Amino acid sequence: MMQKLFYTVLFFICCSAAATAQVRKPSTPKPAAKPAAAKEKPLGFRTTWGIFLSDTLPRPEVVKLLDSSLIVRDQKNNKFPVVSFDFTYESKEAHLNDTTQQVGFYTETTGDSFKSDKLSTLWSTRLKETVQKGEVLLFSNIVIRYTGDKFYRVPELRIVVN
């Protein structure tokens, strides 16, 4: 008899728990608060030499630019100082192939690292004398000082002499 009473009470408790669970309003999930940094667009930089982005430029324009500094801007057009960059100069050299007796071209690559925002006067004067059509000036590993102690590497700049 005691066992029958126990099962009956247990049955009523389970039924009442199930009935009260159905009475509650379904809770709507609240959108999680996004941090302020997540709402902003990711940083985007563009590198220019004078006023030119990576491009093909005529030789006289490149000669004028050799004394210019690199300029880095963000999406809001704010300028950032260039701390350092690597420069690579790809020149085309003609040579005579001994076996075929035909003229061929090979690419000679020279470069240097700079701890400023422009080429040294030595490089600048030498390039003014030697730069020719079809050669490439590549500014890579460009590092800028962002805010405070932050340093960022920004997109490279490739100038092809026309």
Side-chain angles (χ1 to χ4, degrees):
M1 184 76 167
M2 192 65 142
Q3 191 177 14
K4 199 175 201 181
L5 180 64
F6 175 73
Y7 285 128
T8 307
V9 171
L10 184 64
F11 175 73
F12 283 117
I13 291 173
C14 289
C15 289
S16 63
T20 57
Q22 293 175 1
V23 174
R24 291 185 194 164
K25 291 183 180 179
S27 63
T28 57
K30 295 180 182 177
K34 294 182 181 176
K39 292 181 184 177
E40 296 178 8
K41 293 181 181 178
L43 289 175
F45 297 100
R46 66 181 183 279
T47 307
T48 59
W49 194 28
I51 59 170
F52 298 101
L53 295 166
S54 290
D55 201 0
T56 301
L57 298 174
R59 185 186 182 282
E61 194 64 44
V62 171
V63 170
K64 290 179 197 174
L65 285 173
L66 286 171
D67 293 323
S68 301
S69 58
L70 294 174
I71 300 169
V72 177
R73 297 178 190 268
D74 65 358
Q75 295 137 329
K76 297 176 185 174
N77 216 23
N78 298 323
K79 283 185 182 180
F80 296 97
V82 174
V83 175
S84 66
F85 65 93
D86 292 339
F87 176 72
T88 306
Y89 173 58
E90 296 176 5
S91 61
K92 307 288 184 188
E93 297 287 331
H95 72 283
L96 182 63
N97 190 332
D98 294 338
T99 56
T100 62
Q101 298 299 319
Q102 293 181 353
V103 175
F105 291 93
Y106 68 91
T107 303
E108 184 178 336
T109 305
T110 55
D112 202 356
S113 294
F114 296 93
K115 299 285 184 201
S116 66
D117 60 350
K118 59 182 171 181
L119 295 171
S120 67
T121 54
L122 177 68
W123 270 91
S124 178
T125 54
R126 181 70 178 138
L127 286 174
K128 285 178 184 176
E129 299 167 359
T130 60
V131 71
Q132 297 296 323
K133 181 179 178 181
E135 297 177 342
V136 178
L137 308 175
L138 179 66
F139 298 88
S140 59
N141 294 328
I142 303 167
V143 177
I144 62 165
R145 181 183 309 278
Y146 192 58
T147 54
D149 294 338
K150 293 182 183 178
F151 293 96
Y152 283 97
R153 184 174 292 161
V154 296
E156 66 181 28
L157 183 69
R158 182 181 177 92
I159 304 291
V160 179
V161 181
N162 191 3

